[in-house]
Amino acid sequence: MDLLHTHLNKIKSFLNNTDKESYQNNLSELYKYVKKITNYYYNGISMSQDYKTICDEILKQESKINNQKLLITPINFNKNETDFNFIEYLVYSTRLFLYNKHTYGFYHKDFENINLTNDCKLASNYINKKCLKYNVKCYTFTIYPGYENKIQIYNGSGYHYFNIVKYINDYYLVDVTYSQFFYKNKNNLDRLGIVNLSGCNVGRFMIMTDYSKSIASKILEDGYIKLDTTILKNYLDAFTVSFRNGLYYENTNDFSYKTDYTLRDYNNFFRGLDNQINHENLEYLGYQKKPLKNWQLDFKK
């Protein structure tokens, strides 16, 4: 048996006959094993074609928990529409729109069990049109990886749309598809450092403190949250950190999973006047292109 098949069989063995309780631990061991063998496929400049097969197998193993979530937040679809304020109505109608899209009008599953990955633009456009209809001020934002669309650190993917709505005298962050970032299959910290895979999703970084977790739970359950500066920074910081790959941590020794960016910085990012790439090494962002020097690097410090 050649080396590739030996490695593939070992990768498959970590999750064979694995129960849900031990899956994450075994997945961590799988990631560590891949990092250990990565140099076999690296020629000092790039990864060999065989390594793509390794990555494909990782994704296949991760798919075994595609529907398991970091946070369980039930959604109530039975509320009387007359009880809604405008923001609640906005979320309800958007969720109903997405629900019908995914179920073709047949009500056979709960909304929280629908995977809303890649629906953010559709939802944000719907929200914007609703606000326009009712003459409510709405701002639509796109978070590009690294806050720079031209460089495309994830080859054109990895962006996210959300809205900020001004209703009466308050501002609300509305993100009806936020749940797409809270599936367990891409939220294990040991995933960091894997060459040619994205790191961890936003969800992992939002559950690191009780405060940010409370923000995430509120958005996941209600689809919106009343904004203040601290909430907005926590929300955006999680995206910013998620764009960093394993090389960032190995070379900076910064395991805080935080950022020093201010809301003024983020305003400049969204206006196209600045971006994360101007402040952090491009090699440390997006897909990791070369192996770690220390494959045993602990990302759970």
Side-chain angles (χ1 to χ4, degrees):
M1 183 179 295
D2 63 30
L3 189 62
L4 175 61
H5 284 90
T6 299
H7 290 160
L8 288 173
N9 286 337
K10 180 66 175 178
I11 290 169
K12 294 174 184 178
S13 72
F14 285 103
L15 291 118
N16 284 342
N17 303 315
T18 300
D19 56 61
K20 292 182 179 179
E21 287 70 24
S22 59
Y23 196 99
Q24 286 297 326
N25 287 334
N26 290 357
L27 193 56
S28 287
E29 293 306 310
L30 183 157
Y31 293 141
K32 292 172 184 176
Y33 175 75
V34 170
K35 284 180 272 193
K36 180 180 179 180
I37 65 171
T38 299
N39 274 311
Y40 288 107
Y41 302 93
Y42 184 62
N43 63 13
I45 300 175
S46 61
M47 305 300 295
S48 70
Q49 186 62 32
D50 282 348
Y51 183 74
K52 183 181 183 303
T53 307
I54 296 288
C55 289
D56 289 343
E57 187 57 42
I58 296 171
L59 296 175
K60 183 178 179 180
Q61 294 301 312
E62 288 177 338
S63 69
K64 294 179 179 180
I65 54 167
N66 271 353
N67 296 319
Q68 292 186 29
K69 297 181 180 180
L70 292 174
L71 293 174
I72 305 299
T73 53
I75 306 299
N76 181 11
F77 251 152
N78 299 318
K79 188 173 181 179
N80 189 319
E81 290 189 44
T82 60
D83 294 334
F84 291 138
N85 63 38
F86 178 76
I87 301 297
E88 291 172 332
Y89 163 74
L90 189 63
V91 170
Y92 174 83
S93 60
T94 307
R95 282 175 167 169
L96 188 61
F97 167 70
L98 294 173
Y99 190 90
N100 289 333
K101 170 184 176 288
H102 283 274
T103 63
Y104 306 102
F106 297 99
Y107 292 77
H108 63 271
K109 62 166 67 174
D110 295 327
F111 183 84
E112 58 262 33
N113 293 326
I114 297 174
N115 191 323
L116 299 174
T117 300
N118 297 325
D119 282 339
C120 60
K121 184 176 182 179
L122 183 69
S124 287
N125 287 341
Y126 183 89
I127 288 167
N128 191 58
K129 289 178 181 178
K130 278 286 184 182
C131 288
L132 186 64
K133 177 181 178 180
Y134 290 97
N135 199 29
V136 173
K137 193 67 176 179
C138 178
Y139 306 87
T140 299
F141 295 86
T142 308
I143 302 175
Y144 292 108
Y147 301 90
E148 171 55 70
N149 190 32
K150 293 180 181 178
I151 294 179
Q152 298 190 338
I153 63 175
Y154 289 124
N155 300 330
S157 64
Y159 57 85
H160 182 62
Y161 284 75
F162 72 98
N163 303 90
I164 291 179
V165 177
K166 183 181 181 182
Y167 179 60
I168 306 179
N169 293 318
D170 294 311
Y171 290 87
Y172 298 85
L173 188 155
V174 182
D175 190 343
V176 177
T177 68
Y178 198 46
S179 60
Q180 65 183 292
F181 301 113
F182 288 80
Y183 290 100
K184 289 183 177 180
N185 61 319
K186 292 184 180 178
N187 271 310
N188 184 314
L189 281 178
D190 287 313
R191 200 175 198 262
L192 290 164
I194 302 286
V195 176
N196 287 349
L197 289 188
S198 57
C200 285
N201 263 338
V202 168
R204 172 51 58 191
F205 306 109
M206 286 300 289
I207 67 170
M208 284 187 164
T209 69
D210 289 340
Y211 180 68
S212 59
K213 184 177 179 180
S214 70
I215 295 171
S217 296
K218 168 68 174 175
I219 298 173
L220 290 170
E221 183 172 351
D222 295 339
Y224 73 93
I225 190 168
K226 185 178 178 181
L227 266 185
D228 61 33
T229 56
T230 306
I231 287 172
L232 183 56
K233 177 171 166 58
N234 272 263
Y235 174 87
L236 294 175
D237 279 353
F239 283 95
T240 304
V241 174
S242 75
F243 301 142
R244 295 169 175 168
N245 62 44
L247 294 177
Y248 172 88
Y249 302 98
E250 183 172 60
N251 288 280
T252 66
N253 200 35
D254 172 17
F255 292 89
S256 67
Y257 300 107
K258 297 178 180 179
T259 86
D260 293 326
Y261 298 117
T262 65
L263 289 185
R264 178 175 291 183
D265 293 325
Y266 283 124
N267 183 48
N268 288 334
F269 289 175
F270 286 120
R271 293 174 64 194
L273 302 176
D274 197 6
N275 57 62
Q276 186 178 0
I277 298 167
N278 287 340
H279 300 269
E280 301 179 30
N281 192 323
L282 180 58
E283 187 179 44
Y284 304 164
L285 300 172
Y287 292 120
Q288 188 172 315
K289 300 300 184 184
K290 65 181 182 181
L292 298 169
K293 294 177 182 177
N294 175 19
W295 67 266
Q296 294 177 301
L297 187 65
D298 183 6
F299 292 96
K300 298 177 181 176
K301 293 184 178 181

